[in-house]
Amino acid sequence: MSANVRKPAVAGVFYPDDPARLRAMVDGFLNQIPVEGPAPKAIIVPHAGYQFSGAVAARAYARLAPLHDRIHRVVLLGPSHRVALKGIAAPTAGFFETPLGNVQLEQSVLARLQALPQVGYLDSAHQLEHSLEVHLPFLQSVFDHFTLVPLVVGECSPEAVAEVLEALWGGDETLIVISSDLSHYHSYSVACELDSTTTRHIENLDYRHIGYEDACGRNPVNGLLFLAEKRGLKVTTLDLCNSGDTGGPKDRVVGYGAYAITEAPASHVQ
């Protein structure tokens, strides 16, 4: 990995490496979905190959279209698939490259996070990691201009992840994106049951009951849910399916969900 630019690791595998084809595919997903509902402060979205989970992720990204010129910072957290680590890994790169161009990282923000004991620099955790990379073309397609704060989350408590998210929460200019698939390699019927249960836990902000078998991104997900409970936020499920619904075999499926996290409606005193 270049000291300044993190090159794409899964372009041509998880999504097209040709810019025109990639743009057409992402726009095709987004254009099929009506923009409705409140724009979220945070989203939870899957990170498989676009043919399997791109349409599900687009359910969340389409809701962000009205914020195309308002969001200027994206905080992106995902799990580590290739490097075992404790805590949260930041990259030293200045840019993440995709076929659609370079995304600038907010290195000043990443540097400030080093004051937290759970955060450290570890480029190897980012070099081949797809859980963050696959979201960049969606973000590049939805927003006019943004900088990125990308973090790979290893073994880390909900409280420790929430502390980082709290430090990065910002205002209307900041979007939080949590990358996670759901259950892995069960039969179709078992996966549907497991993922429905996990979805109920997510909707109820029940981070205490989302474990290793439920979501590969459980650690960043649970950190967001911990903070959402503290802040009185609401989770809405936008889509839920699995790879058996999107062209894959039904004997070993991976679950995908898209969720929007918004301010809870204010209660009215009669």
Side-chain angles (χ1 to χ4, degrees):
M1 180 165 56
S2 162
N4 195 46
V5 179
R6 185 263 189 196
K7 296 288 187 178
V10 294
V13 181
F14 278 58
Y15 59 86
D17 54 6
D18 176 74
R21 286 185 57 225
L22 176 56
R23 179 75 72 180
M25 177 178 277
V26 173
D27 287 348
F29 287 136
L30 294 170
N31 292 339
Q32 293 180 38
I33 301 167
V35 178
E36 56 188 9
K41 171 63 181 182
I43 58 175
I44 301 171
V45 274
H47 53 238
Y50 280 16
Q51 71 270 33
F52 297 113
S53 69
V56 180
R59 288 281 176 185
Y61 284 114
R63 290 214 170 189
L64 297 163
L67 306 180
H68 67 93
D69 59 350
R70 193 186 314 169
I71 296 295
H72 300 297
R73 172 187 294 158
V74 175
V75 176
L76 175 58
L77 276 67
S80 181
H81 288 88
R82 294 180 176 270
V83 176
L85 69 137
K86 292 183 178 180
I88 298 174
T92 63
F95 299 88
F96 275 13
E97 179 186 314
T98 83
L100 301 184
N102 285 350
V103 178
Q104 183 176 358
L105 273 58
E106 282 206 56
Q107 272 300 339
S108 60
V109 174
L110 291 167
R112 288 200 300 272
L113 289 178
Q114 305 304 308
L116 298 175
Q118 66 269 44
V119 182
Y121 287 114
L122 186 65
D123 283 330
S124 61
H126 286 267
Q127 186 172 6
L128 298 176
E129 183 53 60
H130 66 274
S131 72
L132 305 186
E133 179 182 328
V134 297
H135 296 294
L136 300 182
F138 276 101
L139 294 165
Q140 289 172 297
S141 299
V142 171
F143 298 126
D144 298 349
H145 175 74
F146 68 95
T147 54
L148 185 70
V149 182
L151 297 166
V152 171
V153 181
E155 288 307 311
C156 201
S157 70
E159 294 84 353
V161 174
E163 183 180 20
V164 172
L165 291 175
E166 186 86 82
L168 299 170
W169 196 255
D172 291 343
E173 80 294 335
T174 300
L175 170 73
I176 310 292
V177 178
I178 304 296
S179 176
S180 181
D181 294 339
L182 299 177
S183 66
H184 282 58
Y185 308 135
H186 297 285
S187 68
Y188 183 88
S189 59
V190 170
C192 288
E193 183 175 349
L194 290 172
D195 295 341
S196 293
T197 299
T198 300
T199 291
R200 286 196 298 274
H201 291 324
I202 292 173
E203 290 174 338
N204 293 329
L205 310 180
D206 187 4
Y207 59 88
R208 300 166 185 85
H209 290 98
I210 300 174
Y212 178 82
E213 294 291 331
D214 304 316
C216 59
R218 65 201 175 281
N219 292 331
V221 166
N222 289 340
L224 175 62
L225 297 181
F226 179 94
L227 187 55
E229 182 181 63
K230 177 181 174 182
R231 285 178 165 265
L233 304 181
K234 175 187 176 183
V235 176
T236 301
T237 300
L238 305 178
D239 203 357
L240 178 63
C241 70
N242 63 53
S243 56
D245 299 306
T246 56
K250 296 203 172 187
D251 56 338
R252 280 168 55 85
V253 307
V254 177
Y256 312 124
Y259 310 89
I261 293 82
T262 57
E263 299 286 343
S267 57
H268 296 282
V269 178
Q270 299 293 328

